[in-house]
Amino acid sequence: MNPDDPGDPDRVALHARDVEFDWSQLPMHWIPGEPFATHWINFLHLVLPEGERWFVEVFKQALPLISDDRLAEDVRGFVGQEAMHAESHQGVIDHFDAHGLDTRPFVDQVRWMFRTTLGDRPLRGKRAESWLVQRLALIAAIEHITAFLGQWILDAEELDGAGADPTMLDLLRWHGAEEVEHRSVAYEVYQHVHGRYPQRCLAMVLATAVLTVLWVRGLRFLMASDPVLRGRRKPRWRDLIRTGRLGLTPSYRQLLGALPAFFRPGYDPSEHGSTARAVDYLATSPAALAAGQ
């Protein structure tokens, strides 16, 4: 339970929502006049489909090791939600590819990372279990970051004020709300299967380093490939400072401030983010309502 929100529910039943999004009217710069902020967030579309599919495969392998019925139920709900996230973000990639922003060179690299570097290996016994545990620790670290981003997008009213495309905002907030909803699952799975503190910390160091490098490279790729910009604009660190101050991207302080909690020995994911806020959004999301959920 979030101690900052006494009305926050301890737990909700996790289930996938069969949402659909129409991208036919999506402008290239869906935050008007803000190509940097647009592509800073668009980076997520490049990595999430393959990343979420990887999450699903790893958790399917972990499920037989989970003896707690409640946690096993949460894992099944988590897997269903992550699979739906992957397909929804894939729709954005397909739209970009069809409208002059060819994402395939970067997405191919992301696919190689998840399927080859982090994929299954011909291992048996303890070595196979150790490789599974390493990946579960990495997913727990990544889920801490995605839960932070999910809460941020739910609270980012500045995007509405800037005229951001409502369909894109609904996708991001629907996804963000579900990340907040299931923010404890990956950590609880890691604790249940293994739970060693040093490996958890190392996983966050690795996740932060890899995501930072990928984000910088992905942002450069998107702005260089943008058919409207035609290479005339390059991302700059001061753009992140400016858009952070405007509330169009997370600020440096928010990004760096989100990490230390994960390194505390007594870390509890439920203390970060608001389940009540997530549930409230899901009750009003146009896509979730259209899906009857």
Side-chain angles (χ1 to χ4, degrees):
M1 185 171 182
N2 184 349
D4 297 325
D5 186 355
D8 213 31
D10 287 312
R11 177 173 175 262
V12 294
L14 302 176
H15 67 279
R17 297 167 176 87
D18 191 15
V19 296
E20 295 182 1
F21 299 93
D22 178 5
W23 302 116
S24 60
Q25 303 302 313
L26 182 71
M28 186 60 62
H29 300 156
W30 52 266
I31 306 175
E34 292 287 351
F36 177 91
T38 295
H39 289 315
W40 192 92
I41 297 174
N42 278 344
F43 164 79
L44 294 169
H45 304 307
L46 301 186
V47 297
L48 285 174
E50 286 297 325
E52 307 272 20
R53 290 169 187 141
W54 176 69
F55 285 8
V56 167
E57 291 305 313
V58 174
F59 268 65
K60 284 181 178 178
Q61 293 174 32
L63 194 54
L65 303 178
I66 299 172
S67 57
D68 182 282
D69 290 342
R70 181 196 66 80
L71 182 56
E73 179 186 347
D74 283 346
V75 167
R76 294 186 186 96
F78 176 95
V79 164
Q81 288 186 342
E82 297 290 48
M84 197 68 209
H85 297 168
E87 296 312 307
S88 297
H89 287 277
Q90 183 65 51
V92 182
I93 291 179
D94 294 342
H95 172 81
F96 286 156
D97 289 344
H99 290 81
L101 202 170
D102 185 1
T103 66
R104 288 172 295 181
F106 192 85
V107 171
D108 286 346
Q109 295 176 38
V110 172
R111 182 180 299 113
W112 179 86
M113 180 184 74
F114 282 113
R115 297 189 184 184
T116 303
T117 304
L118 296 173
D120 292 337
R121 296 178 180 178
L123 304 171
R124 294 184 178 181
K126 291 294 184 182
R127 294 181 65 195
E129 186 172 323
S130 175
W131 179 229
L132 175 60
V133 166
Q134 290 178 54
R135 292 184 292 170
L136 289 173
L138 193 57
I139 293 172
I142 296 170
E143 281 290 298
H144 175 76
I145 296 171
T146 57
F148 156 73
L149 292 171
Q151 188 66 50
W152 176 81
I153 195 67
L154 286 171
D155 296 336
E157 296 178 359
E158 293 85 352
L159 288 170
D160 301 271
D165 180 80
T167 304
M168 180 61 77
L169 282 182
D170 188 33
L171 165 68
L172 295 170
R173 286 175 175 157
W174 157 77
H175 185 170
E178 291 195 344
E179 290 297 326
V180 172
E181 235 188 1
H182 69 224
R183 65 192 181 281
S184 296
V185 176
Y187 177 76
E188 289 180 0
V189 169
Y190 174 70
Q191 291 296 103
H192 182 82
V193 173
H194 186 69
R196 291 183 182 172
Y197 175 73
Q199 188 163 28
R200 164 159 64 94
C201 294
L202 177 60
M204 179 55 84
V205 171
L206 291 173
T208 301
V210 172
L211 278 173
T212 299
V213 171
L214 279 177
W215 220 309
V216 171
R217 292 185 65 247
L219 184 54
R220 288 174 176 170
F221 169 82
L222 285 165
M223 294 193 73
S225 304
D226 186 316
V228 177
L229 297 178
R230 299 183 183 276
R232 293 191 297 268
R233 285 279 303 277
K234 295 183 179 180
R236 302 164 298 184
W237 288 109
R238 63 177 177 268
D239 289 325
L240 186 57
I241 296 173
R242 180 185 64 82
T243 57
R245 287 173 176 168
L246 293 173
L248 304 180
T249 62
S251 67
Y252 275 117
R253 178 176 294 182
Q254 289 172 313
L255 289 167
L256 295 176
L259 300 177
F262 192 80
F263 293 96
R264 290 205 311 264
Y267 168 72
D268 182 350
S270 68
E271 295 178 355
H272 308 277
S274 170
T275 303
R277 177 78 177 88
V279 170
D280 285 347
Y281 183 76
L282 291 169
T284 60
S285 160
L289 288 173
Q293 302 173 55

